Structure formats: C-alpha cells, structure tokens
Amino acid sequence: MLTVSNVTKIFNPGTINEKVAINDLSITFHDGDFITVIGGNGAGKSTLMNLISGVYPIDAGSIQLNGKEISRLPEHKRAKMLGRVFQDPMMGTAADMEIQENLALAYRRGRGRGLKWGISHKEKELFKTQLARLGLGLEDRMTSKVGLLSGGQRQAITLLMATLQRPELLLLDEHTAALDPVTARKVLELSEELISEAKLTTMMVTHNMKDAIAHGNRLIMMNAGKIIFDISGVAKQRLTVDDLMHEFAKAGGEDLSDRALLS
Amino acid sequence: MEAVSLFFTSFGKSLPGTFAQGLIWGIMALGLYLSFKILDFADLTVDSSLATGGGVSAILITNGVNPALSLLCAFGAGMLAGAVTGLLNTKLRIPPILAGILTQLGLYSINLHIMGRPNLSLLGKAGVLSMSNNTQAIILSVIVCVALILIMYWFFGTEIGNAIRATGNNEKMARAVSINTDAMKVLCLVLSNGLVALSGGFLAQYQGYADVNMGRGAIVIGLASIIVGEVLLGRFTNFIVRLTSTIIGAIVYYVIIAFVIQLGLPSEDLKLLSAIVVAIALAVPALKKKKVKAQLIKAVAGEE
C-alpha cells in the first residue's frame, strides 16, 4: 500500500519560473491496484511518479510505502521496492551491456552486490525462459548488446527487468508513448500480462485515454498538480472517452493536449 | 645511405627503453581506461596523482623502505586522490572536469610536501626496476601488466564491477536497479587513480627520480594510448583484448615518440605533437560520420 499525504512540489521557488507542480496532493494506492493516470501536459503526472521514485525530493508532505516512510530515502534505496519503466526506451537499459547482463543487474535489485560473479548459470536459464515469453526471439541473443535492439525490444526488456524481482510498486511512465502503434500495443499487452499474473500494485501514466480506460481497475485524472477525478471498480469499467472529456471540462481544466484528444 | 642506417641503429638501440617506458605508462593508461571508458568520466586528477605515486615511492625508498612496499603505498596514495575527486563530484555536485582540476591543483602542493622538494633523486638506491637493466624492467612490467589485466577482467565480471559498468553506461537505469551510483563513481575513481599512482611509482624507480611535474599531460598520453589501441584492435570487443590493446597503444605511442625524436623533433615540441595527435584521433569518429553522410547524400542524389 502506498500512501501519499499532502505532498507539495514547487519547481524554481521564488523565481519568475516558479511552478507548483504538485499541490497538496493525497492519495492511497491499495495492494493490487492498477491505476491509470491521465491529464494534460504539465498536470503533474510524471512529477508525481518522480517524487515517488525519488528523482526529486518533495517539498512538503509524506510518502509511505507499506508503512515505511520513503520520502527521505535516496533514489537507489527506494529502487529496492520499485519497478520502473521510463518513457524513453533508451533510458531503462544499459546499451553497451549484454541483454543477460542487463537482466542480471535487474535481478540484483534490492539485494546486496558483492564480489560474486555478476551472472550465474542458473540465472541464465531463468532469463532464457523469461525472454522466451516475450516472443521476440531474444532468448537466442542473450549475449547481444542491448544497444543493437529496437526501441520496442528494449522497452520489453525493461518491463521484464522491472518485474524480475517482484516490486512493491510498479511505475510505468508513458512507457508506450515513444513506440509505433503496433509495438506500443504489444508492450502494453505484455505489461497487462505481467501485472495481472503477479497482481502487482501499479501506477501507469498515459496520454492515451482509451488505454487508460481499457486497463487497470482505477483511473485518476490530474490537473494543475491535483487529482481532479478518481474512479474505480464498476464505475470505471463503464467509463467512456466522452465521460472523461466532460469531467475534464467540468473541473475547469485547461485543454487536454492534442495528443490526448486525438487518441 | 649511411645516415639512414645510423638513424635506424640508434633508433633500434633506444627501443628496449622505449618498450619499458611504454609498459609502465600502460599501467597508467589502464587506470585512465577505468575512468574515461568505463565510467565515462574525463578525470584530470591523473596529471597530479601520477606524481603523487612517484613522490610517495621515491621518498619512502630514500627513507629505507622496501621499494615493492613503496609501490603499494603509492597505490594507496593515488586511491586517496581519486576519492577526493569522487567526493567533490558526487557529494558536492562539482562537474567531473572541474572536480578533477581542483584535486589536480591541490595535489601539486601536496606532492611538493611529500617529496620536500620539486625533484627527488634515487641515485644509489635500488628500485624494483631501473633504466640500467631494460630487459629486467620489461619482464617485470609485462608481468605486472598481465596481472593487472587479469584482475581487472575478473573484477568487472563481478556484481560490483557490473554495477560500475552500468553506472558509466546509463546512470538513470543503474539507480532504477538500486545501484548506489555515487558510491560506484567514487570506487571507480579510487581504483583508477590508484593504478595511475602505481604507474608513477614504477616510473620514478625506472628513471631514478621523482619529479613534481612528471605527470603533466598524463591524461593526454593515457587517452592517446587508449585511442591508438582502439585503432589497432578496435574490432575485438572482448574486454581482455580491450585492456591489452590499451597497453599496446601505450607502447606504440612511445615508439612513435622515440621515432620523431630520433628524426630531430626538439623535445620541447613533444607535448604539442601529443596534443595534436590526440585531437585528431578524437575527431576521427565525427569526421567519419560526416564522410559517410556526404557519401549517402551523393548516392541518393545519384539515384535521382
């Protein structure tokens, strides 16, 4: 369970560029929640995710993951509990390292690192079966450098890496936005599969309203650093894109971005 | 004709010394490989930490310490220098180049304090190797280089070694898999400068003196070694070959230097030559790209 309480984040305070990115925001993620997050540009979706993962410190409030205060921990310590996939497919993997080396790094997330060999035989077998289920033929290219792979392949590997050690919370930051539509759908299906299989508590930021409606058991809409709409269960299943647009207009939000309108 | 043969005889005579020097600087190039290639951190500390190693080794030997032990101390002193740069960068968020320059400048004074004077002669004191016996110097430095390459190969295959590589390759990803990237950077700079100082210790014993300026331009020599090695053996991606090619690069670099000196290049122009060579070598990838692009445009234009 993740509890975000009265969190505020202000960028460039005291300057002409001051921006209240997150404004006294509170929300609780229950175990097994798969939450999709939508909102216009600058609504604070990614910022919220970055505050949870520790990319930036919060200015006020608290963030507790399963009863543990994490808002003062450095990013790498929070990473022990979090699985993350970024928007940029290049960001989640080390390009100059082999596929199996990348997986081995992720396999050690949250565990100590010592002078043992960086990858064991048993792990290679495990990685092979895990890669096979991606259906991309990567299980036969385990010693290839990740940099040789396409964006979609890299994003699929990043997903696998994020879930290789069960995360207490999975953070997906518009992780299909930079992919072509066909690849995006595949990566999204894979995400759904991994999440439902392990019943992972998940937060998925997306620009695509249809995706936000089709996936997850709960949907939140953000505007100006606040949550303006939070719907779950049966009500969420009945949701349509029109409903969302209506909600957005009602909240007096600025225009949804063109990308969101078109999708 | 006679002049040519004379030229090659004296060039040939200087070769063993050139080889020994190349091998010793090769240790320094291995250290630079850690920071520059693996961590992607242009660390200017090395210009001073080399002299730190030389100075520590020389002062200890003049005080009667065993030369081999003095090398160990040189390694340790270099590690401390690397730690300073690493902490300046990670804890105080000073950019890599500036952090290196600050440590380099401060170390200059510390090096003078260590040696007590700008130049410390080891006349009459035996080291583990010496210019007067190049065969022995070459054998010993080959053994040291091989041992270091094997240790580095092992280390960068371990969990910590992989964590350092990931940090140098993609910091954001490294943090996401719970790697303490700050600690890995400091560790890598510590090891890197330890090797550089070790090289300085060997160099001081080999040439029979330590000098506070002995490391000036070391980073350029190290880069030149790495680049020359890549040009010669770049098609092999195996880590052992990469490290070995760095040492070979250092040797080739010194052979080239010996050659141009033999040709009559005044030694005061050496650093200018080194800088030009490295500048050209660093520019090659960019120039190649331009050429390929130009050819592509031409090809496309031709088709139309």
Side-chain angles (χ1 to χ4, degrees):
Chain A
M1 190 168 87
L2 180 86
T3 317
V4 176
S5 318
N6 308 103
V7 165
T8 296
K9 178 69 189 177
I10 304 170
F11 289 117
N12 311 311
T15 71
I16 192 154
N17 292 322
E18 180 174 295
K19 173 163 174 58
V20 181
I22 297 292
N23 189 356
D24 194 29
L25 184 147
S26 298
I27 186 173
T28 299
F29 293 14
H30 302 288
D31 284 338
D33 262 357
F34 178 176
I35 302 177
T36 55
V37 185
I38 56 169
N41 288 329
K45 310 179 298 285
S46 290
T47 305
L48 176 60
M49 202 166 257
N50 286 331
L51 291 176
I52 295 170
S53 60
V55 176
Y56 331 111
I58 57 174
D59 293 331
S62 83
I63 303 173
Q64 293 192 340
L65 184 57
N66 293 331
K68 192 180 172 195
E69 178 66 38
I70 60 167
S71 63
R72 303 282 178 269
L73 293 177
E75 192 182 350
H76 70 94
K77 285 204 174 138
R78 295 191 210 186
K80 293 178 179 183
M81 300 158 248
L82 304 174
R84 287 158 71 191
V85 184
F86 311 104
Q87 178 174 359
D88 181 351
M90 307 301 142
M91 243 30 272
T93 42
D96 293 341
M97 296 177 78
E98 297 169 357
I99 293 176
Q100 58 179 12
E101 286 175 331
N102 272 277
L103 290 168
L105 284 165
Y107 194 60
R108 281 159 184 74
R109 184 170 58 76
R111 305 199 286 174
R113 288 181 165 86
L115 291 176
K116 281 202 302 266
W117 201 242
I119 181 167
S120 73
H121 271 291
K122 228 173 87 187
E123 285 168 32
K124 282 184 195 170
E125 289 304 311
L126 172 73
F127 299 160
K128 209 179 177 77
T129 49
Q130 292 287 329
L131 283 169
R133 55 180 293 184
L134 300 183
L136 299 168
L138 296 174
E139 64 276 16
D140 301 319
R141 302 174 61 187
M142 298 223 307
T143 54
S144 295
K145 299 271 191 288
V146 168
L148 300 172
L149 307 180
S150 69
Q153 289 171 323
R154 288 181 74 163
Q155 208 63 325
I157 291 177
T158 309
L159 253 179
L160 204 57
M161 287 167 63
T163 53
L164 209 49
Q165 286 292 342
R166 185 191 162 84
E168 290 176 38
L169 176 65
L170 178 64
L171 300 173
L172 307 173
D173 190 358
E174 296 194 46
H175 68 310
T176 59
L179 306 174
D180 67 79
V182 178
T183 316
R185 184 155 16 90
K186 265 191 188 161
V187 169
L188 203 53
E189 278 166 14
L190 175 70
S191 315
E192 178 78 51
E193 207 179 298
L194 291 167
I195 291 165
S196 61
E197 196 174 283
K199 299 196 171 52
L200 299 173
T201 311
T202 304
M203 173 180 177
M204 178 173 94
V205 170
T206 176
H207 254 103
N208 187 315
M209 285 203 249
K210 278 186 199 149
D211 287 346
I213 292 169
H215 298 273
N217 66 324
R218 187 172 166 194
L219 180 147
I220 59 177
M221 186 188 280
M222 289 183 70
N223 185 47
K226 281 183 173 298
I227 291 170
I228 54 169
F229 186 55
D230 183 346
I231 188 167
S232 55
V234 183
K236 190 218 163 227
Q237 284 170 21
R238 293 206 191 109
L239 208 60
T240 63
V241 172
D242 284 342
D243 294 341
L244 284 180
M245 301 291 281
H246 179 68
E247 280 301 325
F248 199 82
K250 205 169 73 186
E254 304 142 29
D255 280 342
L256 280 178
S257 76
D258 291 342
R259 275 165 73 198
L261 283 170
L262 291 170
S263 48
Chain B
M1 198 63 216
E2 203 174 316
V4 172
S5 90
L6 196 69
F7 172 84
F8 278 104
T9 334
S10 67
F11 175 64
K13 264 192 201 147
S14 73
L15 266 185
T18 308
F19 264 81
Q21 230 180 343
L23 283 160
I24 293 170
W25 280 94
I27 299 171
M28 129 93 212
L30 283 182
L32 204 67
Y33 190 95
L34 291 188
S35 53
F36 187 71
K37 295 297 281 188
I38 294 182
L39 198 59
D40 195 17
F41 189 114
D43 179 21
L44 293 171
T45 316
V46 299
D47 273 27
S48 275
S49 59
L50 188 97
T52 305
V56 164
S57 178
I59 195 73
L60 287 175
I61 291 175
T62 47
N63 283 299
V65 175
N66 175 295
L69 185 64
S70 81
L71 289 174
L72 213 61
C73 298
F75 186 75
M79 288 170 89
L80 282 177
V84 172
T85 303
L87 293 172
L88 286 176
N89 173 239
T90 58
K91 295 298 162 209
L92 304 179
R93 303 287 157 205
I94 296 173
I97 302 250
L98 202 48
I101 289 177
L102 290 173
T103 314
Q104 184 201 105
L105 187 69
L107 261 188
Y108 187 85
S109 298
I110 293 175
N111 290 344
L112 280 171
H113 279 296
I114 291 173
M115 295 197 284
R117 73 208 77 168
N119 189 296
L120 190 60
S121 169
L122 288 170
L123 206 67
K125 309 267 182 191
V128 293
L129 76 183
S130 150
M131 279 175 105
S132 57
N133 187 347
N134 271 321
T135 320
Q136 187 255 359
I138 288 174
I139 293 171
L140 182 72
S141 15
V142 166
I143 292 172
V144 171
C145 285
V146 170
L148 287 174
I149 287 173
L150 290 177
I151 293 171
M152 282 168 75
Y153 178 76
W154 162 76
F155 179 71
F156 283 99
T158 66
E159 293 171 334
I160 293 181
N162 275 334
I164 294 179
R165 288 170 59 207
T167 302
N169 200 203
N170 182 349
E171 229 179 293
K172 200 176 164 83
M173 170 268 188
R175 277 198 290 271
V177 296
S178 81
I179 290 169
N180 185 344
T181 49
D182 282 357
M184 292 305 115
K185 283 185 198 172
V186 174
L187 177 61
C188 191
L189 291 170
V190 160
L191 295 174
S192 162
N193 281 285
L195 285 176
V196 172
L198 179 69
S199 160
F202 274 112
L203 193 62
Q205 296 188 23
Y206 175 77
Q207 63 192 16
Y209 65 89
D211 189 289
V212 74
N213 287 318
M214 68 195 278
R216 180 157 292 173
I219 187 159
V220 175
I221 297 174
L223 287 183
S225 309
I226 293 170
I227 294 164
V228 171
E230 274 179 357
V231 169
L232 294 176
L233 292 162
R235 57 190 175 280
F236 300 102
T237 54
N238 181 294
F239 192 53
I240 286 197
V241 180
R242 290 246 165 124
L243 295 177
T244 312
S245 72
T246 299
I247 305 257
I248 292 171
I251 297 170
V252 170
Y253 174 80
Y254 270 93
V255 170
I256 294 170
I257 296 292
F259 190 78
V260 293
I261 286 181
Q262 199 70 52
L263 279 177
L265 184 86
S267 60
E268 61 262 32
D269 291 337
L270 264 186
K271 291 210 192 304
L272 179 62
L273 178 76
S274 308
I276 292 172
V277 168
V278 171
I280 292 172
L282 286 174
V284 163
L287 296 177
K288 259 191 191 160
K289 225 184 227 167
K290 253 192 189 159
K291 198 177 159 195
V292 171
K293 216 175 179 183
Q295 281 170 343
L296 264 176
I297 290 170
K298 228 177 167 181
V300 172
E303 272 171 29
E304 284 167 3

